Amino acid sequence: MLQGIYEFIKSIFEPLGDYFIGSLVPVGSSFAADIDSLIALIAVFVGFWGLLAYIAFFFLIFRFRRKDGQRAKYVTGEEKDLKRWISWPHAAIIVCDVVIVFMAIMVWYNIKQRLPEADATVRIVAQQWAWNFIHPGPDGVLDTEDDIDTFNELHVQEGTLYHYELVSKDVLHDFSVPVFRLKQDAIPGRVMKGWFKPTITGTYDVQCAEMCGVGHGIMGARIIIETPEEHAAWMSQNKGQLASATTR
Amino acid sequence: MDVAKQGAARVGDDPLNGIEMAEAGSVTVDTHEAHGHEAHHEQSFWSKYVFSTDHKMIAMQYMFTGIVMALIGGYMSYAFRMQLAFPGQSVPGYGVVSQGEYNALVTNHGTIMIFWVAMPMLIAAFGNFLIPLMIGADDMVFPRINRLSYQIFLISAIVLIASFFVPGGGFGGAWTAYPPLSANAQYNLTPLGATFWIVAVALEFVAFLLGGINFITTLMNSRAPGMKMYDIPMVLWMIVIASILFMASVGPLIAGAVMLFMDQVVGTGFFDPNRGGDPILWQHLFWFFGHPEVYVVLLPAMGIVADIICTFARKKLFNYKLILFTVFATGIISFFVWAHHQFVAGIDPRMANVFTVTTLIISIPIAEMLFLYIATLYGGSIQLTTPMLWALAFIAEFLIGGVTGIFLGASGADIYFHDTYFVLAHFHYTFFPIAIIGFYAGITYWFPKMFGRMMNETLGKIHFWGTIIAFNCIFIPLFILGAAGQHRRIYNFQNFPDLAGLQDMRVFATGALIVMLVFQVVFLVNFVVSLIKGKPAGKNPWNANTLEWTTDSPPPHGNWPDGLPNCYRGPYEYSVPGRKEDYWPQNVPPDTAPAE
Amino acid sequence: MAEHEEHAEHGQSHYVRIWGILLVLLAVSILGPILAPHIEEAAAGVGAAFVKGWMITIMTAFGIAIYKAYLVAANFMHLNIEKRYITYLLATMLTLMLLFFAGTSPDIMKHEGQNWENVAAEAEVDRALKSQESDSHGGEHH
Amino acid sequence: MSTRPIATTRSATGIPTGKLAVWWVVGSEIVIFGGLLASYVMHRLGHPEWAEYASHTNPWFGGINTFVLLTSSLSAVLAHYAAEHGDGKKAAKWLVGTCFGGLIFICVKAVEWTIEIQHGYTITANGFWQFYYTAAGLHALHVIAGCVIMLIIANDARKGRELHRVELIGIYWHFVDIVWIFLFPLLYIAK
């Protein structure tokens, strides 16, 4: 049922989310629209309250500007009829907060807590200041002969659900793919797991979003999202070989 | 607090009992004379300006150090913004910004602006200046500890600046200093810079712990006779609550700083995963302090704004008690939200849900506080003087900072916004109102009291509009850049094909920054000119109620040479019906029945 | 202050008495882990097998530490006759540390959680336990 | 000290200013040690292998030091008792006694650490030992600082001046004692 409520609220804000964020960055993964809609929902809620506050603010400044011979009112703010101007918005804000919390947690759960069944797993190894991507190869399994190891180039297939295993060799890094709306820190000594499912094709940025030293500003990679045919072609070209050996 | 008991006690009456007599001793009686006597002495330059124990002089020292550090921080922002707008080109007045230098600049810009500008200017400068004056005391309770606090602070500032000139250059691991990058010279390539940085920060904490103890005890113990809990001006409440928050939250980070220092210097592995340590631990230690720290700097600015709004709207603060409770609530909840800075930084995803809820909860008292401030304007007689403009601008700008925070507190949206320019623009919309607008509001309001002369209103307004408009022009584009996925601390976005096209906006923001920095010259000119030739202010130029306006401007040593004032009513009794004047100073005895 | 006189009556002998109690407690806390195995055996003998050695150690170590701290705070620091809110202040600080522990331990104390695994720490635990085992097989050090 | 401000002599809370400040110092110290010890406990519970490392500490050294600190605390409280009754000379004597306790504590610590370091248990040996040295070292710094301040106060007290400060340093000293009361089982006993 929760999922139903979530889907309903999301569907209301989806076009707006697409307008706010989708117009700047392509919507590239199965959960990107969820995040965009959440952002739109928050924007509408806080925008409403912010606007209201601004209207009240500027109205009061204008209405009660200094006029000769007119004294200010003496009110303590503890009068019932005045206090309700505070307590009603207060209650309404709590309601808004509850909705935001609910939506935020649903999105969070879907992206970070849940780990849906994967079609393939990629290993992402971050180091100062580059990305190594280990693709599972045609057999879809990591740590086999046909793994494809690339450098600063991640090849994925549209419509395939990937798990990632994120590790770091030295310091903190952050695997950030704006088109996926995905971000996860890589922590030395830990394996961070997660998932994504590309829904468009093209070549986009992978960024490192955690300060990682002098070369942090050049630590970008490209993610290449291919159609199944293109992906198969790429795999057969590089099968079993460490592509990184040639590009490195 | 049983202040009521000693409500009517006069100065010199000893409210202490038993053993405590030993402390109060004979000093109470003759202090007046001692002060009067001293005021006539010519003090040497050193004892008057450098090694002074007078709270006003220490406040000035903090303030001017803060201004110098703000100029340094502003210069840094100029250098790295120019690099972003015109990558690789030589920046006039700096030179070519290399990658390492860029990192060091952004790191130290953040560190300086928070620890060496916001804290000394808002808490230490205004706290030192206002607390004794507003509670009707002659000084802080521990003048020498106060002096020590400033001296340690000064050393910490020098150490930080020195970190730029050691081999390897300044520390470039972001102001959050996440290990292993910050712990290991092999990774950060600034072995000495990183150590200087952590030492400077730790020293600064010690300075503010000493200062904080002083503020807290002074407000708790040394209020004028008759000043009850709800008679304390809001700004003092907020400064002291901020000090308490600081004191209660900074401990783990001091422990963390010791551990990080040991990692850097001794070679331990507290945060080194290869040797049984855990880098995530630092993040928790840091943010357990880091989030309350936001409120540590926010609250004093909120307090300054409260006092100014009341004075220039000639209104009583709207529901003083409720505001106070929202402050308490904010303070308490601020300890429960820290991990929202770490949503995607490797904490267990289940914990993120808890921290999302607490983060959204904290928005409620803050929103309520802002509503109450806006409600204070209702029925007022609003005079748009320069301090009032700054105070109102604080509310207007902080509102944006507040509402954009919701995006980041909601875990789902934070996956996308974490560490983008959206975050950056968000916290500049909070910290700029706090540190800069709050400071300008305070300084333009209390300048007459500090230096005995009025500031120039025309120059003040030019400065105000130039700063505010330019400020919005800097950061609104950055919100858009953040929404487009541009992440922080990158020295050249041309390296990222998807981001390279947004260069116009960066150039625009940089241009606005330069305009804003140039407008600060107006302030400095106004400051210096008013200092020399401003109109004499008199005791109470704004017709305000609080006790500091009842003494001379600037207050002499000992603040009230003719005897300390008593307090008879709350601080915001403006426009009381039936009185000729629309203000009613706290120290004026009631003309009819005795107060309360 | 009435309480104050009462405490003055206790006088020096009161402090010495508290000190005596503290020393006894100290002795117990040192002997605790030494005696723990024996107590465990004895308890098993009388049918109280749920009493384990580590329980005794924890109790004698931390239970007594808390009680000792209480004695010192109440009697030597005079918290018992101090204004109430000083106690609240100190209790608040302690509570904050519990809060810090509660918020942080899921990431630090545990080495595995939802979608993450601290492989370095696990490997370290493994390695160290193995080497300790082989050490103790190789010959007792102590 | 004739220039002590009137502010210092006021006491709206009913607690003398100096004492109130010391309580706040203690409060801030609680969170400093609390942060360090909380970090230690987290690691300790997550690393079963640390039990073996901890077994190389010598509880007798720790025990002797606990005894020394407890006794010095007694001496500090007796100094306070004397000061309360206006006997500055006696208070000074007890304070010097307390300092002597602190000195013994540091000496025992020095011997203990020397032995441990000779056995290869240095600060970089492993996780346990780094916490061991850092926590105990931070505590030892507090002991040293306390001793220095105490000597200054004892010197004043001897001349019958600033007697109220005897209680203040006493509170601080007891706090240092309490920290050790917790460090002792954490570092020496729990195995």
Side-chain angles (χ1 to χ4, degrees):
Chain A
M1 200 197 60
L2 288 179
Q3 194 63 34
I5 299 172
Y6 170 77
E7 295 291 344
F8 174 71
I9 299 179
K10 181 195 154 190
S11 67
I12 298 174
F13 290 97
E14 200 163 350
L16 198 59
D18 201 46
Y19 175 71
F20 280 162
I21 308 293
S23 62
L24 293 165
V25 190
V27 180
S29 75
S30 58
F31 50 66
D34 294 75
I35 290 185
D36 290 357
S37 312
L38 175 62
I39 290 169
L41 173 133
I42 298 174
V44 168
F45 279 21
V46 301
F48 172 76
W49 286 108
L51 209 61
L52 213 62
Y54 275 122
I55 291 170
F57 178 71
F58 287 113
F59 170 75
L60 288 174
I61 294 176
F62 177 74
R63 168 70 183 73
F64 295 104
R65 67 194 182 281
R66 186 183 186 83
K67 290 170 200 144
D68 283 337
Q70 199 171 333
R71 266 177 91 132
K73 291 195 178 84
Y74 182 79
V75 288
T76 61
E78 286 161 28
E79 298 86 349
K80 271 226 171 69
D81 58 324
L82 289 177
K83 231 167 116 179
R84 62 165 190 241
W85 286 93
I86 303 297
S87 52
W88 288 2
H90 174 92
I93 284 180
I94 292 180
V95 174
C96 291
D97 271 2
V98 169
V99 177
I100 293 174
V101 165
F102 168 72
M103 295 297 284
I105 288 181
M106 289 301 278
V107 172
W108 176 262
Y109 176 83
N110 179 32
I111 300 172
K112 291 288 181 181
Q113 281 186 258
R114 201 166 67 99
L115 209 53
E117 202 67 19
D119 302 319
T121 304
V122 290
R123 183 171 298 139
I124 303 162
V125 183
Q127 69 179 71
Q128 278 183 332
W129 295 284
W131 298 97
N132 300 288
F133 300 103
I134 300 163
H135 305 73
D139 65 352
V141 185
L142 275 177
D143 299 320
T144 50
E145 288 259 306
D146 64 350
D147 282 2
I148 304 169
D149 187 352
T150 61
F151 184 70
N152 281 348
E153 232 182 59
L154 173 60
H155 288 260
V156 291
Q157 180 182 322
E158 182 198 0
T160 308
L161 201 154
Y162 284 91
H163 279 186
Y164 60 81
E165 279 178 14
L166 185 56
V167 294
S168 166
K169 281 186 184 169
D170 33 45
V171 300
L172 297 179
H173 299 277
D174 189 308
F175 178 67
S176 163
V177 187
V179 286
F180 289 172
R181 315 283 187 270
L182 177 67
K183 199 165 280 159
Q184 179 59 55
D185 271 26
I187 297 154
R190 292 184 192 215
V191 179
M192 313 298 296
K193 292 191 181 121
W195 67 279
F196 57 83
K197 184 179 173 187
T199 53
I200 52 169
T201 57
T203 305
Y204 303 101
D205 272 346
V206 173
Q207 311 169 340
C208 172
E210 189 70 74
M211 176 53 98
C212 59
V214 172
H216 173 57
I218 52 167
M219 192 172 159
R222 298 293 276 174
I223 182 164
I224 299 149
I225 312 170
E226 294 151 333
T227 58
E229 299 77 46
E230 286 166 0
H231 194 64
W234 174 79
M235 276 198 293
S236 61
Q237 263 173 34
N238 295 285
K239 188 162 81 182
Q241 76 178 31
L242 298 177
S244 57
T246 53
T247 47
R248 196 173 271 163
Chain B
M1 297 191 191
D2 52 352
V3 227
K5 210 167 60 184
Q6 57 134 346
R10 304 278 314 176
V11 178
D13 283 3
D14 199 358
L16 315 173
N17 51 19
I19 44 163
E20 290 126 14
M21 281 293 272
E23 178 190 20
S26 54
V27 285
T28 324
V29 187
D30 56 20
T31 327
H32 274 300
E33 280 169 31
H35 280 306
H37 190 56
E38 211 167 292
H40 295 293
H41 264 301
E42 263 323 297
Q43 286 172 302
S44 75
F45 172 81
W46 289 97
S47 65
K48 191 169 175 198
Y49 294 107
V50 182
F51 295 110
S52 173
T53 55
D54 187 292
H55 71 100
K56 298 179 289 293
M57 187 49 65
I58 294 171
M60 294 302 123
Q61 292 172 337
Y62 266 116
M63 193 174 83
F64 287 115
T65 317
I67 290 176
V68 169
M69 292 306 273
L71 291 174
I72 296 174
Y75 170 69
M76 289 176 170
S77 70
Y78 159 77
F80 65 69
R81 275 311 314 181
M82 284 299 279
Q83 157 67 19
L84 286 179
F86 310 105
Q89 293 176 32
S90 177
V91 176
Y94 185 91
V96 178
V97 182
S98 74
Q99 288 182 53
E101 278 169 13
Y102 179 87
N103 288 349
L105 285 174
V106 292
T107 301
N108 287 286
H109 168 77
T111 318
I112 285 177
M113 286 305 190
I114 288 171
F115 292 132
W116 279 274
V117 175
M119 292 197 50
M121 297 221 287
L122 290 170
I123 303 186
F126 284 115
N128 264 315
F129 187 77
L130 295 176
I131 290 179
L133 281 171
M134 279 185 149
I135 63 171
D138 54 343
D139 205 330
M140 301 295 272
V141 287
F142 304 118
R144 291 189 300 175
I145 291 184
N146 209 7
R147 179 179 60 185
L148 181 66
S149 155
Y150 174 72
Q151 287 165 345
I152 295 177
F153 172 76
L154 185 65
I155 293 171
S156 75
I158 292 168
V159 171
L160 186 82
I161 293 168
S163 78
F164 271 83
F165 302 103
V166 294
F171 175 57
W175 83 284
T176 51
Y178 283 178
L181 181 64
S182 58
N184 202 327
Q186 173 198 336
Y187 296 142
N188 60 38
L189 308 178
T190 54
L192 281 171
T195 306
F196 272 50
W197 185 89
I198 192 76
V199 169
V201 170
L203 282 175
E204 200 263 3
F205 291 159
V206 173
F208 278 96
L209 276 181
L210 292 175
I213 289 168
N214 226 337
F215 297 156
I216 297 167
T217 32
T218 306
L219 185 76
M220 283 178 83
N221 253 356
S222 308
R223 298 192 298 278
M227 187 179 271
K228 298 188 215 57
M229 240 174 107
Y230 299 124
D231 297 339
I232 300 170
M234 198 45 86
V235 59
L236 298 195
W237 266 119
M238 300 234 189
I239 288 175
V240 166
I241 291 173
S243 301
I244 294 174
L245 289 183
F246 179 79
M247 193 174 279
S249 63
V250 80
L253 186 53
I254 291 182
V258 170
M259 286 148 82
L260 187 60
F261 180 81
M262 300 287 264
D263 270 13
Q264 288 174 351
V265 175
V266 183
T268 51
F270 285 110
F271 303 119
D272 184 350
N274 299 323
R275 311 202 2 236
D278 201 328
I280 303 282
L281 176 62
W282 167 268
Q283 301 181 7
H284 281 292
L285 291 165
F286 185 88
W287 288 115
F288 186 79
F289 159 78
H291 201 82
E293 167 71 12
V294 174
Y295 297 95
V296 170
V297 290
L298 165 66
L299 292 180
M302 287 292 253
I304 288 169
V305 168
D307 268 54
I308 293 172
I309 287 185
C310 288
T311 304
F312 293 109
R314 316 306 295 166
K315 265 290 303 291
K316 199 176 164 73
L317 197 58
F318 195 89
N319 210 336
Y320 181 102
K321 287 184 191 172
L322 193 55
I323 291 188
L324 198 52
F325 295 150
T326 58
V327 178
F328 286 144
T330 311
I332 293 166
I333 303 169
S334 71
F335 283 98
F336 291 78
V337 299
W338 80 89
H340 65 218
H341 297 268
Q342 304 162 253
F343 280 151
V344 300
I347 61 168
D348 194 289
R350 286 164 292 191
M351 293 300 283
N353 298 330
V354 179
F355 285 101
T356 301
V357 174
T358 53
T359 305
L360 270 283
I361 288 176
I362 204 171
S363 70
I364 295 166
I366 286 285
E368 185 144 337
M369 209 190 293
L370 283 176
F371 285 166
L372 288 164
Y373 275 35
I374 294 173
T376 302
L377 298 173
Y378 164 78
S381 170
I382 297 167
Q383 239 178 318
L384 291 178
T385 56
T386 315
M388 184 63 165
L389 283 175
W390 284 113
L392 294 173
F394 173 90
I395 296 178
E397 302 292 358
F398 186 77
L399 203 58
I400 298 182
V403 298
T404 49
I406 305 283
F407 293 91
L408 306 168
S411 50
D414 188 59
I415 300 173
Y416 182 52
F417 280 142
H418 179 81
D419 261 346
T420 59
Y421 266 59
F422 191 90
V423 178
L424 184 140
H426 153 70
F427 71 71
H428 278 92
Y429 260 101
T430 60
F431 275 117
F432 186 86
I434 292 168
I436 308 299
I437 298 183
F439 169 72
Y440 283 139
I443 191 71
T444 46
Y445 182 59
W446 280 292
F447 188 89
K449 185 51 64 183
M450 287 175 173
F451 304 106
R453 292 179 186 275
M454 303 298 285
M455 282 185 106
N456 186 312
E457 281 283 304
T458 319
L459 284 179
K461 281 181 179 150
I462 293 172
H463 172 227
F464 169 80
W465 287 110
T467 307
I468 289 297
I469 293 171
F471 164 70
N472 285 294
C473 291
I474 302 171
F475 289 104
I476 287 176
L478 299 192
F479 273 124
I480 301 167
L481 286 171
Q486 171 176 317
H487 55 295
R488 292 164 68 185
R489 297 160 182 156
I490 299 296
Y491 84 109
N492 181 358
F493 288 100
Q494 302 308 314
N495 299 331
F496 295 86
D498 290 358
L499 297 172
L502 300 162
Q503 195 62 16
D504 291 349
M505 266 195 253
R506 290 180 202 114
V507 175
F508 180 79
T510 303
L513 172 80
I514 292 168
V515 171
M516 192 178 89
L517 289 177
V518 167
F519 266 99
Q520 306 317 304
V521 175
V522 178
F523 170 76
L524 293 176
V525 168
N526 190 0
F527 193 94
V528 174
V529 170
S530 305
L531 207 56
I532 301 164
K533 336 197 282 193
K535 193 159 63 90
K539 277 189 176 182
N540 192 355
W542 310 119
N543 290 342
N545 279 347
T546 38
L547 288 177
E548 81 271 28
W549 301 107
T550 64
T551 182
D552 297 336
S553 313
H557 189 64
N559 295 347
W560 284 273
D562 312 323
L564 301 182
N566 282 8
C567 172
Y568 294 95
R569 65 187 58 77
Y572 304 119
E573 295 301 315
Y574 292 104
S575 309
V576 178
R579 281 185 59 83
K580 195 159 107 325
E581 297 95 8
D582 63 352
Y583 66 108
W584 201 1
Q586 285 185 286
N587 70 329
V588 175
D591 17 42
T592 52
E596 273 89 29
Chain C
M1 246 190 262
E3 307 139 305
H4 185 249
E5 277 153 25
E6 186 196 345
H7 129 82
E9 263 171 33
H10 281 295
Q12 309 197 15
S13 61
H14 172 69
Y15 297 131
V16 175
R17 202 166 56 85
I18 296 291
W19 176 69
I21 300 174
L22 285 169
L23 292 192
V24 172
L25 290 174
L26 168 65
V28 174
S29 64
I30 295 179
L31 293 178
I34 300 174
L35 295 180
H38 305 290
I39 297 175
E40 186 179 339
E41 249 172 60
V46 298
F50 59 88
V51 178
K52 291 275 182 281
W54 61 266
M55 291 182 188
I56 310 274
T57 309
I58 293 289
M59 241 157 48
T60 53
F62 295 103
I64 285 183
I66 290 168
Y67 187 60
K68 274 199 289 194
Y70 164 75
L71 282 182
V72 173
N75 295 290
F76 286 0
M77 294 167 103
H78 296 121
L79 266 183
N80 52 357
I81 54 166
E82 189 55 273
K83 287 259 187 286
R84 220 66 228 112
Y85 52 76
I86 296 296
T87 316
Y88 297 148
L89 158 70
L90 302 180
T92 310
M93 296 295 189
L94 284 173
T95 317
L96 286 178
M97 286 304 98
L98 288 182
L99 173 70
F100 174 73
F101 188 89
T104 307
S105 55
D107 298 320
I108 312 298
M109 199 166 86
K110 296 231 171 74
H111 293 161
E112 200 177 353
Q114 207 161 37
N115 297 343
W116 64 272
E117 195 179 349
N118 191 346
V119 285
E122 281 172 345
E124 169 66 16
V125 172
D126 248 25
R127 185 197 64 75
L129 284 181
K130 280 215 183 80
S131 85
Q132 282 167 17
E133 209 167 301
S134 63
D135 268 9
S136 61
H137 282 305
E140 290 291 326
H141 283 303
H142 43 93
Chain D
M1 288 316 292
S2 60
T3 54
R4 174 183 292 160
I6 298 165
T8 318
T9 63
R10 285 180 175 169
S11 178
T13 56
I15 301 178
T17 308
K19 205 161 146 194
L20 186 62
V22 170
W23 282 120
W24 278 103
V25 172
V26 169
S28 67
E29 294 274 7
I30 287 179
V31 280
I32 295 177
F33 279 103
L36 189 59
L37 292 184
S39 309
Y40 167 70
V41 171
M42 273 172 227
H43 277 91
R44 182 68 199 270
L45 293 175
H47 287 267
E49 80 273 19
W50 285 20
E52 203 266 344
Y53 304 148
S55 69
H56 295 293
T57 57
N58 188 337
W60 295 107
F61 276 123
I64 291 168
N65 262 348
T66 316
F67 169 75
V68 169
L69 271 196
L70 286 176
T71 312
S72 72
S73 254
L74 173 70
S75 150
V77 81
L78 291 177
H80 168 214
Y81 184 84
E84 219 172 52
H85 290 79
D87 192 345
K89 287 228 163 60
K90 207 166 161 198
K93 238 182 267 168
W94 283 120
L95 280 186
V96 171
T98 313
C99 273
F100 187 65
L103 186 70
I104 296 177
F105 178 88
I106 298 294
C107 291
V108 172
K109 194 110 268 203
V111 172
E112 179 192 8
W113 282 16
T114 311
I115 295 172
E116 275 155 4
I117 290 170
Q118 278 171 350
H119 281 81
Y121 303 120
T122 57
I123 187 164
T124 49
N126 56 45
F128 172 79
W129 289 102
Q130 72 196 15
F131 271 108
Y132 172 86
Y133 285 107
T134 307
L138 194 63
H139 176 263
L141 284 181
H142 281 76
V143 172
I144 293 169
C147 281
V148 171
I149 299 167
M150 206 173 309
L151 286 177
I152 296 168
I153 289 173
N155 189 40
D156 274 343
R158 193 167 53 85
K159 301 173 194 152
R161 287 200 308 239
E162 310 282 357
L163 282 183
H164 66 286
R165 287 188 179 167
V166 174
E167 181 184 11
L168 308 186
I169 188 66
I171 292 176
Y172 173 82
W173 192 261
H174 300 314
F175 169 73
V176 173
D177 187 13
I178 288 179
V179 172
W180 183 256
I181 287 177
F182 283 105
L183 281 180
F184 174 58
L186 281 172
L187 297 178
Y188 292 90
I189 302 277
K191 282 167 186 165

